[in-house]
Amino acid sequence: MIAGLALTPFDAAAILIVLAAALGYLNFRFLKLPSSIGLTIMGALASLIVVGLDRVFPGAGFGHDVVQFIAGIDFQTTLMDGMLSFLLFAGALHVDWHEMARGRWPILVLSTVGVVLSTLLVGGGFLLLSRAIGFELPAIWCFVFGALISPTDPVSVMSVLKRADVSPALEATVAGESLFNDGVGVVVFSILLASAVSGEPFSVLHGAHLFAIEAGGGILLGLAIGWIAYRAMCSIDDYKVEVMISLAVVMGGYAVARPLHASGPVAMAVAGLIIGNAGVAHAMSDTTRDYLHKFWDLIDDILNTVLFLLIGLEVVTIPGDLRLLMLGVAAIPLALAARSLSVILPLRAIRPKHRYGLVAPVTLIWGGLRGGISIALALGLPDGPGRAVILAATYVVVLFSVIIQGGTIKRVLEYLTAKETTR
């Protein structure tokens, strides 16, 4: 950013927090939009301003500085080994497992079969679209894009559910599905990416074996560390220590997951459910419960703010090729169609005689927002001919999802709820 000065991880974090705080203040003070939408829009506008300044003052190198700054962030480590664990744990704390249990089969099927089906549909469609527009992208990289764009972002989804008036059971189902499809999606993405980078042919049996080990190991690890934390909290009554235990679960549990080849995201979702339900109900005083929720709400908001700011800033990193924009726009209906089929077909399969109203599938489809996790996975891709293509498509799909879907879901659900009530 400044000639001769190396950007340390602390410098990068400081810049992001200062930008997030400043834009968050401007949004709250003037735009008054939901934070995810407001920060994404302002981040995108800031990026366009940088691009414009580059055109007016080509020698200044504003765009180059921003690109270098974003490129200097190790997204694979920062998000996958850090932020994601905090986000999923914080999200799981607020999910009622009694309500979630009522939707356990839809959650289980949608977060596994649904994610795999969506990955296949998006990957196959993206291969055809990219070839039609003129990009010779290898098939395995198209399925990598399918894997990173298929999971819905629990942060975005829960933000939407707070604004929309849906039943507790549906809210828990959507939130639970979003939490677990995220963990499963990261596992599928990691398996496909390893095959793409190695250049070896993808084996379905080998992939299924790795999936079973990582996802199953994540569930078992989450149960173990969640239970240990719950028992420790039961034996004391000190809000400082109990909040510290929850922090230890996230950081220590995620660190342990890697050498065990277990899925850290899945483990954090399971551990968060245990502490957020059994722990809150039986192991905490009212004071501890209040501090725990406020602490994790703050962590959630800070990380959420930074991620959505990065979504907006990402446009600077995309090469100026009109075909990339065309491919990104074409990927929007593809992602929506794949999400629709991956929701409707599994629901019909597990409950063939059940007549779902309009509210449930629309909440799952239109309210299934893509967000910071898809962006971070795309930014963490290794350099190569396919990176810019996937990055551009991811950016356009996420931008549409956050701004258009996120901005209209409340009104859409209110309309459908009123329509079903008058029947």
Side-chain angles (χ1 to χ4, degrees), residues 53-217:
L53 289 173
D54 252 6
R55 298 289 174 88
V56 176
F57 306 106
F62 295 113
H64 178 265
D65 284 347
V66 176
V67 170
Q68 289 297 107
F69 167 66
I70 294 176
I73 301 173
D74 186 348
F75 282 91
Q76 186 68 23
T77 300
T78 304
L79 186 110
M80 299 304 298
D81 296 341
M83 293 172 72
L84 185 58
S85 59
F86 288 89
L87 291 171
L88 291 177
F89 183 85
L93 282 178
H94 298 284
V95 178
D96 187 335
W97 65 13
H98 295 294
E99 294 291 351
M100 197 178 75
R102 295 167 59 184
R104 59 188 177 278
W105 292 115
I107 290 172
L108 177 62
V109 174
L110 291 174
S111 62
T112 52
V113 176
V115 170
V116 173
L117 178 59
S118 177
T119 299
L120 295 174
L121 291 172
V122 173
F126 195 69
L127 177 63
L128 297 176
L129 287 175
S130 60
R131 296 284 168 86
I133 292 175
F135 294 106
E136 293 297 322
L137 201 62
I140 187 65
W141 285 104
C142 294
F143 289 104
V144 167
F145 171 71
L148 71 85
I149 209 67
S150 290
T152 54
D153 189 340
V155 177
S156 305
V157 170
M158 289 175 188
S159 174
V160 165
L161 292 177
K162 289 176 184 176
R163 305 195 306 270
D165 184 19
V166 298
S167 69
L170 178 57
E171 180 177 345
T173 300
V174 176
E177 188 257 340
S178 179
L179 279 171
F180 286 102
N181 77 15
D182 196 65
V184 170
V186 171
V187 173
V188 174
F189 169 82
S190 301
I191 292 170
L192 290 172
L193 180 62
S195 176
V197 171
S198 68
E200 298 177 1
F202 178 73
S203 167
V204 176
L205 288 177
H206 181 62
H209 175 68
L210 290 177
F211 177 85
I213 291 175
E214 290 198 27

Side-chain angles (χ1 to χ4, degrees), residues 215-302:
I219 292 172
L220 293 175
L221 178 61
L223 289 171
I225 60 179
W227 181 82
I228 291 170
Y230 167 70
R231 296 304 305 170
M233 289 175 175
C234 281
S235 64
I236 62 173
D237 182 16
D238 185 298
Y239 74 87
K240 295 178 183 177
V241 177
E242 291 180 73
V243 170
M244 200 180 302
I245 288 172
S246 71
L247 192 59
V249 165
V250 176
M251 300 182 74
Y254 211 89
V256 168
R258 189 188 307 167
L260 294 179
H261 301 291
S263 170
V266 173
M268 290 306 102
V270 173
L273 282 173
I274 293 172
I275 294 174
N277 286 270
V280 165
H282 307 295
M284 299 178 192
S285 64
D286 291 340
T287 301
T288 300
R289 189 178 303 118
D290 183 53
Y291 273 97
L292 181 82
H293 281 303
K294 286 180 178 177
F295 174 81
W296 285 103
D297 283 346
L298 180 60
I299 294 293
D300 193 21
D301 285 345
I302 291 172

Side-chain angles (χ1 to χ4, degrees), residues 6-29:
L7 197 66
T8 67
F10 178 82
D11 294 331
I15 291 169
L16 288 174
I17 291 295
V18 170
L19 281 174
L23 295 182
Y25 170 80
L26 292 174
N27 177 56
F28 187 86
R29 183 75 173 80

Side-chain angles (χ1 to χ4, degrees), residues 15-16 19-20 23 39-48 50-51 63 66-67 69-70 73 306-318 375 379 395 399:
I15 291 169
L16 288 174
L19 281 174
L23 295 182
L39 284 163
T40 302
I41 291 174
M42 287 193 294
L45 288 175
S47 294
L48 292 175
V50 169
V51 172
V66 176
V67 170
F69 167 66
I70 294 176
I73 301 173
V306 170
L307 279 177
F308 283 108
L309 173 63
L310 285 170
I311 292 173
L313 291 175
E314 185 206 342
V315 71
V316 183
T317 69
I318 299 173
I375 290 290
L379 285 169
Y395 176 75
L399 205 65

